Amino acid sequence: MTTYAYIRVSTVEQNEVRQVETLAGRASQTFTDKASGKDTNRPALQELLATVKAGDSIVVASMDRFSRSLMDLQKTVEDLVTRGVSVEFVKEGLKFSPGSKDPVARLMLQIMGAFAEFERTLIRERQREGIAAAKASGKYLGRKPVFDAAKTAKLKEYLQRGLTPTEIAKQMAPISRASVYNKMAELGYRRQTKYAKAAVGS
């Protein structure tokens, strides 16, 4: 029986210290993502879901760190509980355990999950309005690419040397592992152990 912690911040620039402090001493291993919570396609989350087994527990600082999609939140929690894994959200004071059918906890999961999804929708709407206003005034230049030509060349070099995405992200910090995976997919690399040999057409 092992307890794992899951931490998520939306960007490389954001700091996860507050979540680390909240979860201090509660888990033997921590999985951290620096990616959006819009879906479950996050490297550390997927690794965590593949790692846990019956009898294990997952502790998260708050629901919105686990997911900002109500559908994904409910499905992921239900799947984990069905597999015999407990899930605890510290901020909300909620814990979902195998065999438990607490209607209040389930109601709170739906309410808080819906609020997180609503908040994300509002943020997206404000971003769209801000971008539209900036474009109208000629001030919007778009997001600066994570990988320019030099960084892309360096990524290819690391892949040819056989480094894993995790190792590459450490070498190219503050570029995140998720960004490395995304660029690899863009370049036609498949997720294999020896990435240098995984390029399409190589």
Side-chain angles (χ1 to χ4, degrees):
M1 298 175 63
T2 305
T3 298
Y4 300 94
Y6 178 73
I7 291 173
R8 182 187 68 80
V9 290
S10 298
T11 66
V12 174
E13 291 77 18
Q14 290 182 336
N15 196 313
E16 64 267 29
V17 171
R18 185 176 299 178
Q19 294 178 65
V20 171
E21 292 175 347
T22 298
L23 302 175
R26 301 179 67 105
S28 57
Q29 185 177 349
T30 300
F31 291 80
T32 302
D33 269 318
K34 294 191 175 184
S36 169
K38 64 180 181 179
D39 55 38
T40 59
N41 187 26
R42 289 166 258 152
L45 177 60
Q46 290 302 317
E47 185 177 354
L48 170 61
L49 296 179
T51 299
V52 292
K53 57 185 181 299
D56 290 343
S57 300
I58 296 174
V59 60
V60 190
S62 62
M63 285 183 183
D64 64 342
R65 298 301 87 198
F66 207 48
S67 178
R68 283 191 176 274
S69 163
L70 176 58
M71 182 180 298
D72 287 340
L73 178 64
Q74 288 181 300
K75 184 179 185 303
T76 304
V77 171
E78 289 175 1
D79 286 349
L80 286 166
V81 171
T82 299
R83 290 170 53 190
V85 179
S86 297
V87 183
E88 180 181 0
F89 299 105
V90 178
K91 179 181 177 181
E92 293 80 7
L94 297 176
K95 185 172 183 178
F96 300 87
S97 304
S100 174
K101 296 183 179 180
D102 184 352
V104 175
R106 291 185 176 276
L107 176 62
M108 289 301 297
L109 176 69
Q110 293 175 344
I111 292 174
M112 298 304 295
F115 180 79
E117 187 172 55
F118 176 66
E119 182 182 34
R120 177 171 171 268
T121 301
L122 288 180
I123 291 173
R124 284 206 313 266
E125 184 61 31
R126 286 196 293 267
Q127 288 175 335
R128 282 195 293 266
E129 291 174 352
I131 290 173
K135 284 182 176 179
S137 62
K139 297 179 180 179
Y140 182 70
L141 300 177
R143 179 182 295 180
K144 184 178 179 181
V146 175
F147 282 91
D148 55 19
K151 290 179 180 177
T152 299
K154 179 61 69 173
L155 170 64
K156 290 180 179 179
E157 177 188 332
Y158 285 141
L159 290 170
Q160 290 297 327
R161 287 166 51 186
L163 272 67
T164 67
T166 298
E167 292 168 337
I168 293 173
K170 289 180 180 179
Q171 291 290 332
M172 302 187 72
I175 293 177
S176 68
R177 183 170 57 174
S179 295
V180 173
Y181 275 123
N182 290 338
K183 189 61 179 180
M184 285 173 57
E186 180 184 322
L187 294 173
Y189 286 86
R190 299 187 299 275
R191 293 174 66 169
Q192 298 180 2
T193 302
K194 295 298 182 181
Y195 293 95
K197 299 180 180 180
V200 174
S202 62

